[in-house]
Amino acid sequence: VEFKIVDNPEAISQVAKLAEEIWNQHYLPVIGKQQVDYMLDKFQSEDAIKQQIAEGYRYYLIFDNQVDAGYFADKDKGDTLFLSKLYVLDSGRGKGIGKQTMNFIKTSFDNPIIQLTVNKNNSDSIAF
């Protein structure tokens, strides 16, 4: 598994495309189409990602054998690292990509505490 910082328009576009695919794969049964569309527009569109990066969020693309596998975003909040997003394509789930990503996060950043939020109905992510 490889991680690449999102720092150019092409990479931002790649994240937005992954977001659309992942959210439509995973979240339709959890929150429904209308809410998925809203969340993609508000938080996962190219414009939203650009704005978040400008506000100090760091986005990373995740690759498995040089193929898109997902992405994550975080923000250093001083005494904690806020893990804003961690999404893996259906095709990458169950392969240890999420665990490898968490290990990368833990070993790459100085923050001893990782904070995140999870939708209360997202049982797979809560279990992870």
Side-chain angles (χ1 to χ4, degrees), residues 47-73:
D47 288 340
I49 294 166
K50 288 177 195 172
Q51 180 62 38
Q52 291 166 30
I53 291 171
E55 294 170 358
Y57 286 85
R58 297 173 291 205
Y59 273 79
Y60 292 82
L61 286 161
I62 305 169
F63 297 93
D64 181 27
N65 294 318
Q66 300 180 341
V67 175
D68 288 345
Y71 65 99
F72 76 92

Side-chain angles (χ1 to χ4, degrees), residues 85-102:
K85 297 159 185 64
L86 171 52
Y87 301 112
V88 177
L89 288 164
D90 276 350
S91 59
R93 293 194 188 125
K95 294 182 174 182
I97 293 171
K99 289 178 184 173
Q100 289 180 62
T101 301
M102 289 303 297

